[in-house]
């Protein structure tokens, strides 16, 4: 995984990063905000996944899968996939995904994200090697792709493929999104793309998409605000991107081209301001970096609900009275609900007990939206369930 405080990761980028840039205020000027907040409501009971004492209670990569009518919650821990029956919360099976590969690295042991498509089509991403592997149920490698392609862009993509920005499968394409920290002074929409696209029919690897213009004009810290969130609507074969410093989301086709803007702003966010400090100043001082981030509203996760044909987008508001002793940058948030026509239907605030929820483990199920609840019980994962009226 990336270590956001390790200078060696981006030392070359520091020489290219713009010092300050102009001051930006990304204002939310539209009158299309929705005042309804009643569409979502929290269920009385928690959903429980009994992981036991040997499986992590904070998985970085997980997904839901429909296995012949049985809903499974799959999580990655170490080099194993664990499959839980969502209804009972009990472990049903597990699969080891480590395998020998002639890469000079021996046993692959640095998996980042995964996508379980079928029993014999499992895609796993090795962050250290910057490769995607297609394996079957016996962990045989049937294909692999290198996504670190300097021939495709001056600043290649650098995804982690964790739960909030997972590997997407759309129309026989794989999509992985993410970039290195910072915005170089010479960055453009084309030379600093946001996604790697793998055409499974042709094995062709291409890059696509880019940050909105304000990311190149102004300094938003170069770290937290750079995180990219995306989701896929397989009903229409489109991908939606959510950027932290933008009131709009961006819809692309499966080649991540021909994008269009869709307003998805929060009624609780008036504007997002860039930092007066330089990228280098913020990058060297983690406390200042966090202090700036929590002082600003931002947008986060975006998810598609295939059961109800809806999109959900997280909008976070500033965390006031932050101090360095807290060592947290989790902010109050709301959930914006949109239909597939791009109309905002509702926005439900979660301003109380928000710190108990882990937005990095958030999913859509046939029941509604589930968000992991932080707790000290290391033998169970608990999810809060938010249902849709």
């Amino acid at each position: 995984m990336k270590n956001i405080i390790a200078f060696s990761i981006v030392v070359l980028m520091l020489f290219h990063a713009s010092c300050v840039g102009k001051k930006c205020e990304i204002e939310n000027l539209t009158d299309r905000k929705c005042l309804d907040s009643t569409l979502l409501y929290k269920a009385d009971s928690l959903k429980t996944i009994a992981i036991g004492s040997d499986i992590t209670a904070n998985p970085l990569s997980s997904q839901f899968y429909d296995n012949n009518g049985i809903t499974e919650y799959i999580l990655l821990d170490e080099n194993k996939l664990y499959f839980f029956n969502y209804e009972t919360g009990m472990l049903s099976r597990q699969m080891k995904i480590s395998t020998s590969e002639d890469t000079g690295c021996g046993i692959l042991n640095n998996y980042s994200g995964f996508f379980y498509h079928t029993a014999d089509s499992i895609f796993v991403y090795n962050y250290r090697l910057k490769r995607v592997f297609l394996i079957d149920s016996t962990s045989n490698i049937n294909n692999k792709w290198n996504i670190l392609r300097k021939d495709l862009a001056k600043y290649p993509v650098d995804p982690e493929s964790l739960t909030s920005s997972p590997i997407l499968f759309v129309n026989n394409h794989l999509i992985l999104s993410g970039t290195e920290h910072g915005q170089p002074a010479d960055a453009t929409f084309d030379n600093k793309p946001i996604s790697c696209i793998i055409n499974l029919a042709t094995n062709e690897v291409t890059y696509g998409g880019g940050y909105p213009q304000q990311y190149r004009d102004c300094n938003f810290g170069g770290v937290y605000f750079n995180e990219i969130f995306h989701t896929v609507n397989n009903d229409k074969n489109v991908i939606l991107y959510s950027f932290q410093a933008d009131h709009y989301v961006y819809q692309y086709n499966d080649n991540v081209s021909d994008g269009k803007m869709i307003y998805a702003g929060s009624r609780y966010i008036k504007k997002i301001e860039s930092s007066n400090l330089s990228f280098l100043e913020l990058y060297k001082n983690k406390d200042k970096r966090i202090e700036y981030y929590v002082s600003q509203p931002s947008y986060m996760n975006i998810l598609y609900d295939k059961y109800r044909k809806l999109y959900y987008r997280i909008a976070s508001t500033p965390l006031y009275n932050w101090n360095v002793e807290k060592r947290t940058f989790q902010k109050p948030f709301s959930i914006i609900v949109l239909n597939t026509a791009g109309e905002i239907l509702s926005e439900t605030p979660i301003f109380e007990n928000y710190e108990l929820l882990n937005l990095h483990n958030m999913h859509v199920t046939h029941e509604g939206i589930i968000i992991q609840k932080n707790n000290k019980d290391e033998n169970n994962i608990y999810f809060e369930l938010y249902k849709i009226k």
Side-chain angles (χ1 to χ4, degrees), residues 107-127:
I107 299 299
L108 302 179
N109 58 5
N110 196 320
Y111 288 109
S112 174
F114 75 95
F115 174 71
Y116 190 93
H117 183 50
T118 67
D120 284 317
S121 294
I122 305 160
F123 300 92
V124 292
Y125 176 52
N126 187 301
Y127 177 73

Side-chain angles (χ1 to χ4, degrees), residues 244 269 293 296-300 314-318 331-334:
Q244 300 226 26
I269 298 179
Y293 178 73
Q296 295 300 314
S298 58
Y299 296 95
M300 299 177 63
I314 297 296
S316 62
T317 57
K331 300 185 281 188
F333 66 92
S334 61

Side-chain angles (χ1 to χ4, degrees), residues 71-88:
T71 301
E72 292 184 317
Y73 176 63
I74 312 173
L75 68 83
L76 173 63
D77 185 25
E78 298 286 337
N79 291 315
K80 289 184 179 179
L81 293 177
Y82 295 90
F83 300 75
F84 297 85
N85 183 311
Y86 176 65
E87 301 301 332
T88 66

Side-chain angles (χ1 to χ4, degrees), residues 99-110 126 128-129 131:
T99 183
S100 296
E101 171 66 12
D102 186 17
T103 61
C105 300
I107 299 299
L108 302 179
N109 58 5
N110 196 320
N126 187 301
R128 182 167 57 85
L129 296 179
R131 288 183 182 175

